[in-house]
Amino acid sequence: MSENILEVSNLRKYFDISGGIIGRKRHTVKAVDGVDLTVAKGETVGLVGESGCGKTTVGRTILKLYEPTAGSIIFEGEDITKYSQRKMKPLRAQMQMIFQDPYSSLNPRHTVGDIVAASFAIHKVTPEGGVKKTVQGLLERVGLNPEHINRFPHEFSGGQRQRIGIARAIALRPKLIIADEPVSALDVSIQAQVVNLLDDLQSEFGLSYLIVAHDLSVVQHISDRVVVMYLGKVMEVARTEDLFKSPHHPYTKALLSAVPIPDPTIERSRERITLVGDLPSPANPPTGCVFNTRCWKAQDICRNSVPAQRTVGTSTVACHFPE
Amino acid sequence: MLKYISKRVFYAFVMLFVLSMVVYLIFGLVPIDPAKLSCGTHCNPVVVEANRHRLGLDIPLWHQWWNFIMGLFQGRTYGEGAAMIHCPAPAFGYSFPNNACVTEVMAGAFPFTFTLAVGAFILWMTIGISFGILAARKKGTYIDRLSTAFVLIGSSLPIFILGLLIYITAFLLHLIDPITQGTWVSPLSDPIGFFRNFIFAWITLALAYAAIYTRLTRSNVIETSTEDYIRTARAKGVAERDVLYRHNLRTALAPLITNAGLDFGGLLGGAIITERVFQLPGLGYMSIKAVLRDYDLPLIMGTTLLAAAFFIFFNLIVDIAYAYLDPRVRLN
Amino acid sequence: MSHLLEVKNLSVAFPTEDGLVQATDDLSFHVDLGETLAIVGESGSGKSVSSMAIMGLHNPKSTQISGQVLISSLGHSTDVVTASSEEVRRLRGGTVSMIFQDPMSALHPYFTIGNQISEAWLLHNDGTKADARKKAIEMLDLVGISDASNRVDAYPHQFSGGMRQRVMIAMALVNHPKILIADEPTTALDVTVQAQILKLLKDMQHEFNMAVILITHDLGVVAEVADRVNVMYAGRLVEEGSVNEIYKNPVHPYTIGLLASVPRVDQAHGTRLKTIPGQPPSLISLPGGCAFEPRCEFAKFVPGNLCKTTRPQVEEKHTGHLARCHLSAAEIKAHQ
């Protein structure tokens, strides 16, 4: 795990919100505001945060589905920040995406076989042993019946559709998979199956994952390292065990304490930090530390100056008063 | 809100201004010479030239356009001496075939068009919305299927066929007198004569439009009834009647305002076919005469701009009404 | 002593083109004042369908309902299934209230929140609009909306998701119901907001002394707030017991599998999740035996073909702990 497959530094993505008939620029939403993150080869990094924190935008910007406003994205030593869509095309075979909603991300008019085989056609690759056989092999690998190659997405359950999405993503043997909430639309018993499948595929194909998710229990389970975001900024980066055992950022601490544990005895004896108030608008974030409006440790310095990333133990924390 | 409206009104004027330019340009390019047309049977080049001068057509096109614009505000005077004709503001020009100022001609035609549009509008909205609600409530029953049949007939039958069928039926039943039909009767002095003039034209237009509104209302009501907030209303104990009339229709009918406003605004510019079939000398009838028979450019210009103005105006009304209804639009 | 709510042999089915969808099947349970009953299950387990049946919200034209839903109010018991629509309407929002999963879409976008809460009050009380408005402000204040007297005139889209759920709660409680049904009340919310809302629900339960029926798929939330738990699978109740019994001593193979497959933040990182193999069955023409049999790891310990052929009945496995399984609690324990 020495070499990084993905290095993102100071990534920014601003969206201009315009209004009026002539489309005057009204204000800028800093969806992603200076994010650093790395994914090592074979590693799984969990990118967590609540809705509106910018985690999904980070994933999409790395894949160049959005043009980054600033910063750099280095994939396998290649700086792809300024790459055009045409130049990105060969790289797309190596970076794939798995989407949240297995209902809307598969074309309902195409058979499962067509959906999985589309990657081969787009990148003009003919797999060894022929397309059909390879697709059937992929379906079998993700736990679907290879004889169902001619069925349509609506004939499958949610969990099975997510498996189809995974088969499509791994068809070209990518090196990096960015998964946006890969299991959050699935039922608990199915969720576990898909999580295990992602685990197995990783060791089998040496994949690296960037998992964007809001469910900390899933992230805890699947990730080696975790990046915690809040209002477009990274609050804390740590190895999973460390983060869950001893969170250093007050936000991480509050977030973890809010996740319920399925055990009534533990759950009812826990000390819980209940954050007050709502998430501020990303169009008008607080000055200084973006978390200061909801933080119980906030002091003047938090309102005036943006905390720098500092190392505490094995973690990196952006806080003036880390735990 | 006020700022928004004034901005929209300003844009509306800009749009009309540009439109008048475009219409002028098109008419400048049409190979028809109003000076020749207005010259009558004993025509010679001298008279044509004199006419051209009198009509102000012997100057460059842009200047003609400018005179036209100024005329809108100041009125215009054509010719000199005994032959002098003055059209007071807003002057759209002089219509030779009608021997009157365009504004006068249009003012004579407008009551027909306006009455036709208002009556038809009331009728079709009432029919369309009530049929639509009924069909949505009785979804899947024979009433629903009946309304589907109505929609199908109403929207697939061309209006000239529908109009002729109704006209002939009314004629055979002695409900229409082709001799007096289309003469203006004041609703105050002779309400029955007034209604007899318009009722069949109203029905014709209403049938054609009501079909669309039935379909729209039905689908919107059904769609809204699956919304979560309708379930919430039931859950707090709202009676079915109020679920429909207070909670559902509010959102279901709001999109209809757009269609209603634009359809009504469009009709005020003249319902060409219906007016023609029922011999109603409204704006539509008049403009079709101006185009096909008289080549009456000033009148065409006037009706085009008037129709456009109505359309733009009702577009604005629609937006304001929508904002009034939907707080998400109003408050953003 | 009769229960506040008693559901007896409730079956709800929807006829469709493909066949009859048996959404709940022979469902019986009860709730008493002051307690929180969680109904847990995955999508298609029938948990939401049964809550809609308690509210009498199913369209009788497209639904086949049998069984009883008895609600006691002021010493009088009403069967929602057979009562007149007017009787049921008066119960809704009065004795029984409900809040929903998605507070974004559950409030009417065209009415102010004050208007919507007032409407709920006026439906069940005699009073003027001014009284209703005062009541609305009072309720908004109670559920923790600051500056309630001003924000009562705001529209739903001006609130965040968590705030809207507070508004929903204020609306549901304005008539001091005896039963509050909360259908996935925090699923659409972020965890930190979820914690706020769950706490609010607890506080409100104490304030108004009501029964809460919490419908959820989230076992963590259940562990936090429930007193008793019903576990549902394929429209059937498979296990019922106190929250401690269900979590510490589950006796139905589905419950055991479900608890094992949930990832937990307090678990050692890197452990492999246990899974329940296969998919939930289609609710159209379920086989005659146990609905869970195709996915059950314990079925092989049942002699003969009993699980395939015979539908297990709900039996008391321990005191107050019921399950629908052919195996006894001891047998399950032995094979675990």
Side-chain angles (χ1 to χ4, degrees):
Chain A
M1 281 208 201
S2 53
E3 210 180 320
N4 287 334
I5 188 157
L6 180 72
E7 287 179 17
V8 173
S9 48
N10 198 23
L11 187 71
R12 285 166 206 273
K13 176 65 201 171
Y14 298 170
F15 292 102
D16 288 334
I17 308 296
S18 54
I21 290 170
I22 22 187
R24 253 171 318 138
K25 192 173 126 182
R26 254 203 221 149
H27 52 254
T28 304
V29 173
K30 299 178 176 179
V32 177
D33 197 15
V35 164
D36 297 313
L37 70 87
T38 58
V39 180
K41 282 197 172 139
E43 189 189 31
T44 302
V45 173
L47 184 56
V48 301
E50 299 180 282
S51 47
C53 75
K55 56 188 191 298
T56 295
T57 311
V58 169
R60 293 189 177 171
T61 312
I62 291 171
L63 283 167
K64 298 291 296 289
L65 300 176
Y66 296 144
E67 274 310 306
T69 308
S72 73
I73 305 162
I74 294 166
F75 177 70
E76 285 224 286
E78 210 173 329
D79 187 343
I80 62 167
T81 323
K82 298 256 154 38
Y83 273 23
S84 63
Q85 292 302 323
R86 181 198 297 257
K87 243 178 144 182
M88 276 302 290
K89 199 182 159 191
L91 284 170
R92 295 216 187 277
Q94 297 175 39
M95 319 163 74
Q96 287 284 325
M97 182 136 191
I98 298 172
F99 298 94
Q100 167 175 7
D101 188 355
Y103 291 87
S104 60
S105 60
L106 303 176
N107 187 331
R109 293 204 186 90
H110 289 181
T111 65
V112 168
D114 292 339
I115 289 168
V116 177
S119 310
F120 298 122
I122 291 164
H123 292 277
K124 302 194 177 67
V125 213
T126 316
E128 255 177 80
V131 172
K132 191 180 171 194
K133 228 172 150 192
T134 313
V135 170
Q136 285 183 323
L138 283 164
L139 291 180
E140 196 165 9
R141 182 61 204 87
V142 297
L144 294 168
N145 186 342
E147 284 162 26
H148 292 171
I149 187 162
N150 286 324
R151 294 201 178 178
F152 291 90
H154 70 87
E155 296 174 73
F156 293 89
S157 69
Q160 288 172 321
R161 284 185 221 203
Q162 197 55 294
R163 288 171 191 269
I164 297 167
I166 292 171
R168 170 176 66 182
I170 63 168
L172 292 165
R173 296 289 162 88
K175 292 175 176 148
L176 174 70
I177 288 182
I178 297 181
D180 189 358
E181 301 278 8
V183 297
S184 59
L186 307 177
D187 272 321
V188 182
S189 71
I190 307 301
Q191 196 173 322
Q193 296 174 1
V194 174
V195 166
N196 283 349
L197 175 64
L198 287 173
D199 254 347
D200 295 344
L201 292 173
Q202 178 164 45
S203 34
E204 192 172 328
F205 299 116
L207 293 167
S208 307
Y209 288 134
L210 178 63
I211 310 268
V212 178
H214 73 280
D215 187 334
L216 285 138
S217 323
V218 170
V219 167
Q220 188 268 354
H221 200 87
I222 202 167
S223 318
D224 301 310
R225 275 189 314 124
V226 179
V227 178
V228 182
M229 282 184 72
Y230 183 81
L231 273 182
K233 291 186 188 288
V234 172
M235 297 288 106
E236 182 163 3
V237 183
R239 286 176 51 224
T240 305
E241 301 93 293
D242 300 341
L243 187 96
F244 284 82
K245 218 173 281 160
S246 52
H248 294 296
H249 197 288
Y251 176 63
T252 317
K253 205 174 167 193
L255 196 61
L256 287 179
S257 88
V259 181
I261 295 171
D263 182 317
T265 321
I266 300 175
E267 185 57 29
R268 285 163 203 219
S269 58
R270 279 167 88 199
E271 187 198 342
R272 167 154 295 159
I273 303 161
T274 308
L275 284 181
V276 290
D278 272 337
L279 190 76
S281 158
N284 185 21
T287 55
C289 171
V290 285
F291 185 57
N292 80 63
T293 52
R294 301 173 77 192
C295 186
W296 61 98
K297 295 173 103 182
Q299 299 188 16
D300 281 344
I301 184 175
C302 304
R303 287 178 273 273
N304 299 326
S305 89
V306 180
Q309 299 279 353
R310 62 165 88 176
T311 309
V312 180
T314 53
S315 313
T316 314
V317 192
C319 179
H320 292 298
F321 304 103
E323 301 272 315
Chain B
M1 196 64 204
L2 209 67
K3 200 176 138 201
Y4 170 75
I5 294 172
S6 48
K7 205 161 93 180
R8 286 292 307 266
V9 171
F10 173 73
Y11 281 115
F13 276 107
V14 172
M15 219 129 90
L16 284 175
F17 193 72
V18 173
L19 185 77
S20 71
M21 251 195 267
V22 172
V23 175
Y24 239 89
L25 198 68
I26 293 172
F27 287 164
L29 296 174
V30 175
I32 292 171
D33 189 349
K36 244 183 217 159
L37 284 172
S38 60
C39 142
T41 37
H42 306 289
C43 200
N44 63 56
V46 183
V47 182
V48 171
E49 268 321 301
N51 268 346
R52 179 162 294 141
H53 179 68
R54 199 153 64 103
L55 291 169
L57 298 176
D58 55 349
I59 50 175
L61 199 61
W62 68 267
H63 200 164
Q64 290 179 35
W65 170 73
W66 184 246
N67 284 344
F68 172 80
I69 294 292
M70 293 312 286
L72 285 177
F73 298 101
Q74 299 174 342
R76 282 181 82 173
T77 308
Y78 301 95
E80 288 129 16
M84 190 179 85
I85 301 157
H86 179 72
C87 294
F92 284 91
Y94 189 79
S95 165
F96 273 92
N98 292 294
N99 266 326
C101 294
V102 168
T103 314
E104 254 172 69
V105 179
M106 292 199 299
F110 185 66
F112 286 96
T113 296
F114 182 75
T115 311
L116 181 61
V118 170
F121 179 78
I122 293 170
L123 207 55
W124 95 58
M125 289 306 275
T126 317
I127 298 174
I129 291 174
S130 21
F131 273 36
I133 293 172
L134 197 66
R137 283 177 60 185
K138 309 271 174 189
K139 192 181 144 198
T141 65
Y142 74 96
I143 292 176
D144 185 21
R145 281 194 285 277
L146 218 64
S147 93
T148 310
F150 168 67
V151 167
L152 215 66
I153 294 168
S155 47
S156 56
L157 212 56
I159 200 154
F160 59 89
I161 297 202
L162 190 68
L164 280 176
L165 283 175
I166 290 176
Y167 189 95
I168 291 166
T169 315
F171 175 71
L172 292 176
L173 294 172
H174 302 291
L175 296 169
I176 271 186
D177 177 0
I179 313 272
T180 55
Q181 171 71 12
T183 344
W184 180 258
V185 190
S186 161
L188 298 173
S189 58
D190 181 6
I192 295 173
F194 172 79
F195 272 102
R196 188 183 283 197
N197 237 342
F198 284 103
I199 186 77
F200 298 106
W202 284 339
I203 292 174
T204 304
L205 271 182
L207 282 182
Y209 280 97
I212 305 166
Y213 284 79
T214 303
R215 183 174 50 89
L216 271 176
T217 306
R218 178 185 179 274
S219 62
N220 285 359
V221 169
I222 289 174
E223 202 185 299
T224 308
S225 67
T226 63
E227 292 283 352
D228 284 356
Y229 54 79
I230 296 299
R231 186 182 54 182
T232 306
R234 287 207 175 90
K236 63 184 182 186
V238 177
E240 273 316 300
R241 218 192 120 77
D242 291 334
V243 169
L244 177 68
Y245 288 103
R246 195 174 134 78
H247 291 259
N248 185 323
L249 287 188
R250 214 18 124 110
T251 20
L253 295 187
L256 253 68
I257 290 176
T258 311
N259 296 66
L262 297 187
D263 282 345
F264 184 68
L267 265 188
L268 283 183
I272 294 172
I273 295 166
T274 313
E275 287 176 9
R276 183 78 190 80
V277 169
F278 291 94
Q279 298 159 268
L280 298 166
L283 289 174
Y285 192 10
M286 203 183 65
S287 54
I288 202 77
K289 233 169 52 187
V291 171
L292 295 180
R293 210 184 66 193
D294 299 340
Y295 305 111
D296 189 350
L297 287 192
L299 188 54
I300 296 170
M301 185 77 194
T303 47
T304 308
L305 281 184
L306 191 68
F310 279 129
F311 200 75
I312 291 171
F313 177 69
F314 276 94
N315 226 316
L316 178 64
I317 296 285
V318 162
D319 286 351
I320 293 169
Y322 214 102
Y324 173 74
L325 271 179
D326 191 340
R328 288 169 299 185
V329 178
R330 188 184 344 143
L331 299 170
N332 277 331
Chain C
M1 212 348 255
S2 68
H3 296 291
L4 175 60
L5 166 74
E6 186 154 21
V7 174
K8 284 184 181 166
N9 313 103
L10 179 70
S11 295
V12 180
F14 307 104
T16 67
E17 281 172 20
D18 302 323
L20 194 67
V21 175
Q22 194 67 49
T24 73
D25 195 354
D26 195 21
L27 184 65
S28 301
F29 62 89
H30 65 88
V31 185
D32 289 313
L33 214 57
E35 71 167 344
T36 301
L37 171 74
I39 302 181
V40 183
E42 301 179 275
S43 41
S45 64
K47 56 189 193 302
S48 285
V49 169
S50 46
S51 70
M52 298 288 274
I54 297 170
M55 296 289 287
L57 283 174
H58 288 297
N59 183 351
K61 280 181 220 151
S62 55
T63 325
Q64 299 173 4
I65 302 183
S66 67
Q68 288 180 302
V69 175
L70 301 168
I71 293 174
S72 306
S73 169
L74 307 167
H76 172 78
S77 172
T78 314
D79 180 2
V80 173
V81 177
T82 53
S84 74
S85 58
E86 179 55 24
E87 264 179 287
V88 179
R89 186 193 68 71
R90 258 180 276 141
L91 280 178
R92 283 203 292 261
T95 311
V96 200
S97 268
M98 189 159 182
I99 58 172
F100 300 97
Q101 171 169 353
D102 190 354
M104 299 288 170
S105 56
L107 288 164
H108 200 294
Y110 286 12
F111 298 118
T112 64
I113 55 162
N115 191 330
Q116 300 190 47
I117 299 172
S118 298
E119 185 187 24
W121 188 78
L122 285 168
L123 281 164
H124 300 275
N125 295 278
D126 291 322
T128 63
K129 282 194 169 170
D131 298 338
R133 187 184 154 86
K134 234 167 81 189
K135 195 81 198 161
I137 295 171
E138 189 187 304
M139 286 308 295
L140 287 173
D141 202 44
L142 194 66
V143 297
I145 294 204
S146 56
D147 196 16
S149 51
N150 278 319
R151 289 167 91 181
V152 69
D153 294 319
Y155 289 91
H157 75 270
Q158 295 170 308
F159 286 79
S160 69
M163 286 294 154
R164 283 186 225 194
Q165 197 60 293
R166 284 175 195 266
V167 171
M168 279 300 289
I169 292 170
M171 188 161 81
L173 301 184
V174 71
N175 297 313
H176 300 194
K178 294 271 183 303
I179 305 167
L180 176 69
I181 302 174
D183 189 352
E184 303 271 8
T186 58
T187 307
L189 306 174
D190 282 318
V191 273
T192 56
V193 181
Q194 166 172 288
Q196 295 170 359
I197 295 295
L198 290 177
K199 183 172 179 304
L200 175 67
L201 280 175
K202 266 269 158 252
D203 293 346
M204 291 297 112
Q205 186 173 20
H206 287 294
E207 173 98 23
F208 294 104
N209 184 34
M210 56 187 176
V212 172
I213 300 176
L214 175 74
I215 307 218
T216 183
H217 70 281
D218 189 326
L219 291 162
V221 171
V222 174
E224 187 179 338
V225 299
D227 299 314
R228 283 192 302 123
V229 182
N230 279 1
V231 183
M232 288 188 70
Y233 184 78
R236 297 167 189 182
L237 179 74
V238 293
E239 186 161 0
E240 179 192 334
S242 74
V243 67
N244 280 317
E245 273 287 301
I246 295 283
Y247 279 78
K248 298 288 152 67
N249 201 11
V251 295
H252 194 282
Y254 174 65
T255 315
I256 294 169
L258 199 61
L259 283 167
S261 63
V262 189
R264 300 164 58 144
V265 284
D266 62 338
Q267 221 166 18
H269 161 72
T271 45
R272 194 171 172 79
L273 286 177
K274 289 237 170 57
T275 62
I276 303 174
Q279 308 280 336
S282 153
L283 297 176
I284 298 170
S285 62
L286 274 171
C290 171
F292 188 60
E293 179 272 331
R295 302 175 77 187
C296 185
E297 290 179 317
F298 295 82
K300 56 179 180 278
F301 303 119
V302 179
N305 249 349
L306 203 58
C307 293
K308 269 198 169 57
T309 55
T310 313
R311 201 171 140 178
Q313 295 305 308
V314 176
E315 291 164 12
E316 190 155 33
K317 304 287 181 180
H318 296 293
T319 319
H321 188 165
L322 316 175
R324 200 187 270 280
C325 182
H326 288 303
L327 290 169
S328 70
E331 285 170 308
I332 291 274
K333 195 143 218 150
H335 296 298
Q336 217 171 335

